[in-house]
Amino acid sequence: MSPRRSSAEAGQTRAAILARGVEVASVEGLEGLTIGRLATDLGLSKSGLLGHFGSKEALQLAVVDTAAEIFFRETSSDTDGVTPGLPRLRAMCAAWVSHVEREVFPGGCFFTAAASEFDDRDGPVRDAVAGLVGLWERDLRLHVSLAVADGDLPTGTDPDQVVFELVGQMLALNHGLRLRRDRGALARTRRAMERLLGEAQPPVPASRTEVASASAG
């Protein structure tokens, strides 16, 4: 076997381990990830699987990073190219709800579950989860601030408060869907976000814009 083929196969095996790890952790938590469990699920030896990560903590960290890549890929596909400020903020929130609705992660919001599991612990896994959640909230906060500067949100709007409420709405959504099995939580979450950010308006067709310009002239 050539070194190139061996490296490619190792990469494929690692990707398969991480994909299964995200599925397991989403439903059973990061502590549900064990070398033995994943080895059995994937038909690998424990020593072979351990060789890819070295420790359970390293496996957990790699799974958290993989979940973050999935989340940001899923949400960015609906927000790339959208005008910064309130339009981008609304698009981010819509994508946030959509990824939960579509069950991108089988256990609901991966980071809601991970944060609940590790919020009272110390160590690298908690720090990784907190750091990634912080990056998402930073981006939300940025677009709230831009929306205020653009006059699309009222002067004096506190970006920290808006982000706090958006996070609370998503926590309530995850609770409604996962614990109460209430699909109506999706519509309630969208209404809550519209109440906080205002309902998005459809773009004005070009013909109407031209009529308005002519009338103004």
Side-chain angles (χ1 to χ4, degrees), residues 15-30:
I17 293 168
L18 291 173
R20 179 57 182 156
V22 168
E23 291 176 352
V24 172
S26 172
V27 176
E28 301 179 19
L30 286 162

Side-chain angles (χ1 to χ4, degrees), residues 8-192:
E9 290 182 349
Q12 291 171 357
T13 300
R14 180 182 174 88
I17 293 168
L18 291 173
R20 179 57 182 156
V22 168
E23 291 176 352
V24 172
S26 172
V27 176
E28 301 179 19
L30 286 162
E31 286 300 326
L33 290 175
T34 65
I35 302 299
R37 164 69 183 278
L38 291 182
T40 298
D41 287 354
L42 297 169
L44 301 172
S45 68
K46 290 183 181 180
S47 60
L49 192 147
L50 188 61
H52 287 275
F53 302 98
S55 68
K56 179 177 178 177
E57 181 175 85
L59 170 63
Q60 289 174 325
L61 289 169
V63 165
V64 169
D65 285 343
T66 301
E69 291 172 4
I70 294 169
F71 174 80
F72 285 110
R73 182 174 67 243
E74 288 288 329
T75 54
S76 65
S77 65
D78 292 332
T79 59
D80 286 346
V82 178
T83 304
L86 188 57
R88 179 78 62 84
L89 179 64
R90 286 174 175 152
M92 290 172 69
C93 291
W96 199 5
V97 174
S98 175
H99 105 279
V100 174
E101 181 178 24
R102 290 180 289 112
E103 297 185 343
V104 171
F105 300 108
C109 179
F110 182 96
F111 289 96
T112 294
S116 297
E117 185 179 6
F118 279 84
D119 56 2
D120 284 329
R121 307 186 189 190
D122 293 320
V125 178
R126 179 198 180 280
D127 292 345
V129 172
L132 289 164
V133 170
L135 285 175
W136 177 248
E137 292 181 359
R138 180 203 65 186
D139 289 347
L140 292 171
R141 192 175 297 109
L142 167 64
H143 291 288
V144 175
S145 298
L146 290 173
V148 174
D150 291 341
D152 292 330
L153 289 177
T155 301
T157 296
D158 180 359
D160 289 330
Q161 182 65 31
V162 173
V163 172
F164 182 86
E165 292 185 36
L166 289 172
V167 171
Q169 290 164 7
M170 290 303 296
L171 291 173
L173 171 60
N174 208 63
H175 173 86
L177 289 176
R178 309 312 304 178
L179 183 64
R180 301 181 59 238
R181 303 288 193 268
D182 176 16
R183 299 294 292 180
L186 289 159
R188 281 189 284 277
T189 301
R190 290 185 169 110
R191 286 197 297 271

